[in-house]
Amino acid sequence: MTFAEEPLLELEHLKTQFFTEDGVVKAVDDVSFKLHRGEVLGLVGESGCGKTITSLSILKLVPTPPGKIVGGKVMFNGEDLLELSEERMRQIRGNEISMIFQDPMTSLNPVFTVKNQILENIKLHQDVSEDEALEKGIELMQMVGIPEARRRINDYPHLFSGGMRQRVMIAMALSCNPQMLIADEPTTALDVTIQAQVLDLIKDLQEDLNMAVLYITHNLGVIAEIADNVAVMYAGNIVEYTDVNTIYDKPDHPYTRALLSSIPRMDKKISRLGVIRGTVPNLITPPSGCRFHPRCPYATEKCSTQVPPYVEIEPSHFSFCHYAATL
Amino acid sequence: MSKEGKIVIDDERLEAFEKEKEKRRRAGRIMIFWRRFRRHRMGVFGLFIIIFVTFVGVFAPFLAGPGRLVPFGPRESNVQARFTPPFSYESAKDTAASQEASTLEKTVAAFYANYKLNFINGMSTTALPHYLQLSKIDSIVDETTEEELWSSSLDPADYLNANGSLRLPTSFNGSALIDYRTGGKIAFQINPSKNKLTFVSIFLAVRVDSPESVWGGKFKVYLYEAESDLNSANYLASSSVQSYLVSTGPSISLRLIDFRFSVAGLQITTGSTYTVVLDTEIMDIEFPGINQYVVTRSGPAEMDPLRTTNQNWNALDGWNDQDTATYEGWMAYVAVFYVTNKFHVFGTDALGRDILAATIWGATSSLTVAFLAQGITTLIGIIVGTIAGYYGGFWDNVLMRLTDIILAIPFFFLLLIAITLWEQISLYFMAIIIGVLGWAGIARVVRAQFLSLRELEYTEAARALGVSNVTIMFKHLLPNALAPVIVQTTLGTATVILIEAGLSFLGFGDPLAVSWGTAIQWGMTGNTLRFAPWVATIPGLAIFVVVLGFNLMGDALRDALDPRLKN
């Protein structure tokens, strides 16, 4: 899938660091990618590789202190979000860029009714009356597939199941017709059936509303389901960026390959699943050169000394490796 | 379902059941909480106590002061009210108690109205040094002429017995003039009413004949059986009080300075006759800068045997120029009568103050201070804890170290210091000081709550929706943090009541308000606790009950608000 127009969101060399007592954690290091209108970008990586921090950096929600965005640009609709005032950011959050979170159980405030919480966002960003907001809220709940929305909108969150809560969260996120949705592992805490429903829902809504979606997950199966393009993150870097078919058919970066070989696949018969040796590096003192080199089966001397370049193997297929397209 | 019969589920029942189910499902947190709270019988009992005492406190002006309506707590105008029982004499006219009360009232009235009369009578019946007798009358003429003095509207037949002695009002038992230099003894008989234990209050009225005077006295009261030797040490009970009085009268005049003094609660067997001996030792006190009080009398100054005892005598010699001798001194007129406690449901204290009225007023004072102080405490605690917990970092450090500092200083002594810095303490002021110094505990609780709440996803979700920090803190998170605060506040209110009572007991309270602590202090004076234990017990019980009520409710709240308890 190609997107000819200007990207909606463009990250340029984003760097986010956490200044802790033990040292500076380089959680996001030089991350760049583009996201177009109507595109779903899957951001994949194992735990602690900086996926969530990347998304929080976009909204400038990195807990400060200790976190700090130290460099780069987040171009959204032609303006750099990092330059904007907190006031303006609050207008963007929830209105132009929305976010849904991993754990639907704790994402809703237990002391308020769902109505209270959905309507708050509507009233915060739109100049509507109480009745109009209520109608909009009910409409949203119907849209995300909650039965008996008119009655259930007055319920407290504890009366909803996990999947339903996630739907409520999605309804809240979509309440102001955002141009972009950041979904931070929205299906991780749900069981598989509900996962599939929520994924379908997000996909449908994304197509209906022509939203850009940044979908963060560590589940490559989910990515195959929903994403147009995929960015694979490792230790704060994006190591590979390509479209969703290429990542499964012709993965280039050794990390992506290792990752794919470690999950069972229906189309290939593998007697033994692959393992990535070692553990995720400590981001206070990341490995020199290529950050993956201590665990890379193809690593050479060069890998440990020089930071690899971004190599465009094919059009819009980037690999962050010295030996891109040669292995 | 029972084995014998089937339960018929008709539509109506089903509908009702569904309705109830829906109601329960919809129930907000407050309903759920109330349902849980209701199950704690003791908690509901505590709530009942608090509501009752609050009611009593709010309506104290109606309940405790006969016919007096004072909207905001017992201030100056209520000082009188404290001395009266909480029933109007008018409304209880027909009862025996009211008759006695009305006799008492008349007695007091007669005592004030006829002081001139009694004054004269006192001299004529009591053996006193001659120079203090008639000569005194002769000289007190500056404002009240002798003629005026005698032209009482009362017919002598009304107040004199056939033998020429004064017929005193029913309860009036004795009076005397006592010389400040020697002091004096006055003995009088009391015969308590037949069917009731009698609590004796003795009022000492002092007349100071001076433009400006400072005096003090030691007063001792002994209770003897009627036949005893009044000089022996075989008294049944004794009590002593030392007191000072500053009087700044405009000139030499016949002034009655009302000074109430009493035997502290002597308990007397009914039907017998007793003798009460009031022994006075009166000192005159020199204060530099205050002129000596002067009473003129006829007769040469040189003959005054006491002249040399006063160091200021020489300085005052000039007063002799009107051919009258002057001497410094005062005259105390002492009248004694006793009060029975029939009309006082919980009795009176040593000064005749009604304990029930005091307890009712005490509810006003205690709850005013408790609610106001705890309100301030909670407000400051929430604000400080919220800011510290939500923002963390620098503000957390600053605010929590401040909290530590406040917690490190013993609260009660900090309070005493703060209170002694101001001269006049009002209830509100006391509440503000307690509140301003007491927020540390709540701040810590709130902070701890916020430390965990701010990490929750709904906080992040709210931020991602563009909600401002202040709204997140106080609208989204605070309701989640309130449960322990409510419990802490309830228990804290009980603590404030105890603190207020403690301060008042020690005399650091509002001097114009009656607090339970003050009332207990009344019951601790002299021998009161031994002879009149009710004086301290009744307000003590009030404190006990209210604090118990708050604690019971706090426990029930803790259970009802605990999210880990299901149902």
Side-chain angles (χ1 to χ4, degrees):
Chain A
M1 200 187 260
T2 52
F3 300 90
E5 52 170 319
E6 275 289 291
L8 179 68
L9 175 84
E10 190 171 1
L11 258 60
E12 292 171 18
H13 310 291
L14 181 71
K15 280 185 185 176
T16 303
Q17 298 180 345
F18 287 85
F19 297 86
T20 66
E21 282 176 16
D22 299 330
V24 180
V25 182
K26 300 168 190 80
V28 175
D29 202 22
D30 202 7
V31 163
S32 306
F33 61 77
K34 288 173 187 170
L35 182 60
H36 297 82
R37 245 172 252 278
E39 178 189 345
V40 179
L41 173 68
L43 194 56
V44 213
E46 54 196 304
S47 300
C49 69
K51 303 183 301 272
T52 301
I53 299 304
T54 308
S55 67
L56 291 180
S57 303
I58 294 169
L59 283 175
K60 286 214 291 188
L61 285 176
V62 180
T64 318
K68 201 180 174 203
I69 301 169
V70 291
K73 279 182 178 174
V74 179
M75 301 304 291
F76 180 77
N77 266 345
E79 40 182 358
D80 186 357
L81 296 187
L82 301 185
E83 309 267 292
L84 294 182
S85 66
E86 184 61 19
E87 196 89 339
R88 177 87 184 92
M89 269 319 286
R90 283 217 304 274
Q91 290 168 9
I92 287 177
R93 288 178 201 143
N95 193 19
E96 292 170 41
I97 305 177
S98 272
M99 190 161 178
I100 48 182
F101 292 88
Q102 178 175 352
D103 190 357
M105 293 307 188
T106 60
S107 300
L108 290 168
N109 195 331
V111 299
F112 297 115
T113 58
V114 162
K115 172 182 160 186
N116 206 314
Q117 301 184 49
I118 294 184
L119 263 53
E120 170 156 43
N121 194 30
I122 298 173
K123 285 188 277 183
L124 198 65
H125 294 298
Q126 294 173 23
D127 187 19
V128 290
S129 72
E130 183 78 31
D131 288 347
E132 286 167 344
L134 180 62
E135 286 309 313
K136 175 97 204 245
I138 294 169
E139 199 181 295
L140 281 164
M141 285 183 63
Q142 283 163 346
M143 189 172 83
V144 296
I146 294 173
E148 292 187 82
R150 191 169 291 277
R151 190 172 67 89
R152 300 221 66 189
I153 196 166
N154 287 314
D155 282 352
Y156 282 88
H158 69 270
L159 297 167
F160 287 86
S161 68
M164 285 294 166
R165 284 191 212 182
Q166 196 57 283
R167 284 168 194 266
V168 171
M169 284 304 295
I170 293 170
M172 281 169 69
L174 299 185
S175 58
C176 295
N177 300 324
Q179 300 171 35
M180 181 184 157
L181 177 71
I182 300 173
D184 188 359
E185 310 205 34
T187 58
T188 310
L190 306 173
D191 65 57
V192 189
T193 335
I194 309 297
Q195 258 189 30
Q197 289 175 9
V198 171
L199 274 181
D200 285 347
L201 176 69
I202 293 176
K203 188 76 186 161
D204 288 350
L205 291 172
Q206 182 264 328
E207 277 164 14
D208 289 352
L209 306 173
N210 197 29
M211 276 187 307
V213 175
L214 178 63
Y215 197 99
I216 297 166
T217 183
H218 57 257
N219 188 334
L220 285 163
V222 169
I223 288 293
E225 191 83 19
I226 196 168
D228 301 316
N229 291 319
V230 183
V232 182
M233 275 192 88
Y234 179 79
N237 299 130
I238 288 186
V239 292
E240 187 162 3
Y241 176 93
T242 179
D243 65 274
V244 69
N245 294 324
T246 320
I247 205 96
Y248 291 99
D249 299 340
K250 287 191 289 175
D252 185 79
H253 197 279
Y255 175 65
T256 318
R257 293 187 198 188
L259 211 55
L260 284 165
S261 75
S262 66
I263 54 167
R265 295 183 68 162
M266 286 174 84
D267 54 343
K268 284 178 189 165
K269 236 186 154 69
I270 310 165
S271 57
R272 207 182 163 84
L273 288 177
V275 176
I276 308 177
R277 291 175 296 136
T279 53
V280 187
N282 177 353
L283 291 181
I284 294 173
T285 50
S288 55
C290 173
R291 290 187 178 183
F292 188 57
H293 84 260
R295 305 171 77 183
C296 182
Y298 311 105
T300 60
E301 187 65 34
K302 189 181 176 187
C303 290
S304 62
T305 51
Q306 292 178 27
V307 177
Y310 275 102
V311 184
E312 189 163 12
I313 312 164
E314 294 165 27
S316 62
H317 183 179
F318 297 88
S319 181
F320 188 53
C321 182
H322 290 294
Y323 303 102
T326 58
L327 292 170
Chain B
M1 209 179 283
S2 64
K3 276 176 189 170
E4 283 88 344
K6 268 197 244 164
I7 291 175
V8 185
I9 300 175
D10 50 18
D11 285 352
E12 207 175 302
R13 269 182 96 162
L14 198 65
E15 201 177 306
F17 175 72
E18 285 296 328
K19 228 176 178 177
E20 177 63 23
K21 208 174 119 188
E22 176 67 15
K23 205 176 119 198
R24 293 205 166 203
R25 209 176 64 86
R26 283 288 188 75
R29 277 173 74 97
I30 290 172
M31 273 310 293
I32 295 169
F33 155 72
W34 172 241
R35 228 175 266 147
R36 283 179 176 181
F37 180 78
R38 227 169 27 182
R39 251 180 274 143
H40 280 261
R41 288 216 182 141
M42 295 317 277
V44 176
F45 178 59
L47 180 66
F48 174 75
I49 291 176
I50 293 166
I51 290 173
F52 176 73
V53 175
T54 311
F55 177 85
V56 167
V58 168
F59 292 100
F62 300 99
L63 297 171
R68 283 191 181 81
L69 172 62
V70 185
F72 299 113
R75 304 303 304 168
E76 286 94 335
S77 51
N78 301 22
V79 170
Q80 285 302 317
R82 303 191 234 148
F83 291 90
T84 53
F87 308 104
S88 163
Y89 296 140
E90 302 304 320
S91 64
K93 228 164 203 164
D94 295 332
T95 64
S98 80
Q99 279 164 15
E100 186 170 331
S102 116
T103 314
L104 161 68
E105 206 168 38
K106 280 180 194 149
T107 309
V108 177
F111 170 61
Y112 287 126
N114 299 327
Y115 66 91
K116 286 190 243 175
L117 190 70
N118 296 337
F119 176 70
I120 295 151
N121 183 68
M123 290 191 298
S124 64
T125 53
T126 316
L128 284 171
H130 75 282
Y131 52 83
L132 273 178
Q133 291 194 11
L134 286 173
S135 58
K136 180 56 69 183
I137 297 299
D138 292 344
S139 57
I140 302 171
V141 288
D142 276 17
E143 284 180 2
T144 314
T145 60
E146 199 172 341
E147 212 160 328
E148 275 170 3
L149 202 65
W150 284 102
S151 67
S152 165
S153 59
L154 290 170
D155 183 351
D158 290 341
Y159 54 85
L160 292 178
N161 290 319
N163 63 4
S165 67
L166 184 76
R167 193 167 65 232
L168 293 166
T170 328
S171 304
F172 190 85
N173 287 82
S175 65
L177 268 174
I178 294 169
D179 179 15
Y180 78 104
R181 284 157 285 206
T182 58
K185 263 189 179 177
I186 166 173
F188 54 97
Q189 305 268 301
I190 57 172
N191 187 6
S193 61
K194 277 178 185 159
N195 50 4
K196 188 97 177 168
L197 285 180
T198 308
F199 178 71
V200 178
S201 286
I202 296 173
F203 295 88
L204 168 70
V206 176
R207 202 202 67 165
V208 177
D209 293 329
S210 67
E212 291 157 288
S213 70
V214 179
W215 65 266
K218 272 186 196 159
F219 304 91
K220 263 191 176 165
V221 175
Y222 302 94
L223 179 70
Y224 289 96
E225 275 168 346
E227 307 306 319
S228 306
D229 173 10
L230 299 187
N231 286 319
S232 78
N234 295 327
Y235 48 85
L236 297 173
S238 77
S239 172
S240 74
V241 164
Q242 187 157 339
S243 182
Y244 301 93
L245 180 87
V246 179
S247 157
T248 50
S251 64
I252 301 169
S253 62
L254 195 66
R255 290 171 70 240
L256 182 77
I257 292 178
D258 172 20
F259 173 68
R260 289 182 183 189
F261 165 77
S262 116
V263 192
L266 298 178
Q267 199 171 346
I268 295 161
T269 319
T270 55
S272 323
T273 307
Y274 292 88
T275 305
V276 174
V277 172
L278 175 70
D279 190 3
T280 60
E281 182 189 313
I282 296 177
M283 302 165 283
D284 88 55
I285 301 155
E286 293 163 31
F287 277 84
I290 296 180
N291 286 337
Q292 281 301 306
Y293 26 82
V294 177
V295 176
T296 55
R297 68 170 182 109
S298 53
E302 305 81 59
M303 289 180 71
D304 191 326
L306 293 154
R307 186 171 146 190
T308 49
T309 64
N310 192 301
Q311 298 303 310
N312 290 327
W313 172 243
N314 293 332
L316 290 164
D317 226 16
W319 281 88
N320 289 339
D321 58 358
Q322 286 177 349
D323 197 25
T324 53
T326 63
Y327 67 88
E328 66 294 334
W330 64 280
M331 288 176 64
Y333 165 78
V334 179
V336 183
F337 54 98
Y338 68 95
V339 183
T340 61
N341 70 346
K342 254 187 191 171
F343 198 70
H344 305 274
V345 175
F346 287 149
T348 66
D349 83 323
L351 294 181
R353 290 176 287 207
D354 185 79
I355 295 306
L356 179 59
T359 310
I360 291 171
W361 277 123
T364 312
S365 315
S366 290
L367 292 185
T368 305
V369 174
F371 287 145
L372 189 58
Q374 196 56 34
I376 295 170
T377 294
T378 309
L379 195 70
I380 300 178
I382 282 179
I383 291 172
V384 170
T386 301
I387 291 172
Y390 184 77
Y391 286 114
F394 173 75
W395 285 111
D396 188 24
N397 256 326
V398 170
L399 293 172
M400 281 304 114
R401 293 304 77 78
L402 183 67
T403 309
D404 289 344
I405 290 168
I406 286 185
L407 282 173
I409 305 168
F411 180 60
F412 201 77
F413 297 104
L414 187 62
L415 215 59
L416 287 185
I417 292 166
I419 280 177
T420 41
L421 287 179
W422 279 268
E423 250 171 60
Q424 181 91 23
I425 305 297
S426 78
L427 286 179
Y428 305 106
F429 182 77
M430 190 149 81
I432 288 167
I433 287 198
I434 296 176
V436 165
L437 295 178
W439 50 264
I442 297 237
R444 282 193 158 184
V445 169
V446 176
R447 172 180 173 267
Q449 290 285 311
F450 267 80
L451 282 183
S452 64
L453 285 175
R454 69 168 182 189
E455 303 297 336
L456 287 181
E457 289 209 341
Y458 58 79
T459 312
E460 196 150 29
R463 294 177 69 206
L465 287 176
V467 185
S468 69
N469 277 333
V470 175
T471 314
I472 293 179
M473 276 193 280
F474 291 104
K475 191 182 156 196
H476 292 227
L477 300 190
L478 192 57
N480 286 290
L482 274 187
V485 175
I486 290 171
V487 176
Q488 183 95 352
T489 301
T490 312
L491 298 176
T493 313
T495 317
V496 174
I497 288 177
L498 289 175
I499 289 170
E500 192 271 341
L503 286 174
S504 304
F505 178 80
L506 293 176
F508 291 96
D510 184 346
L512 294 175
V514 189
S515 146
W516 289 329
T518 329
I520 291 178
Q521 171 56 32
W522 295 351
M524 304 285 288
T525 338
N527 277 335
T528 314
L529 199 57
R530 212 162 97 211
F531 294 105
W534 59 86
V535 177
T537 308
I538 300 295
L541 266 178
I543 295 177
F544 166 72
V545 167
V546 173
V547 170
L548 183 74
F550 274 105
N551 282 334
L552 287 177
M553 193 168 109
D555 281 348
L557 282 176
R558 197 201 309 267
D559 288 348
L561 291 167
D562 189 347
R564 277 165 302 189
L565 277 173
K566 284 286 170 191
N567 308 311

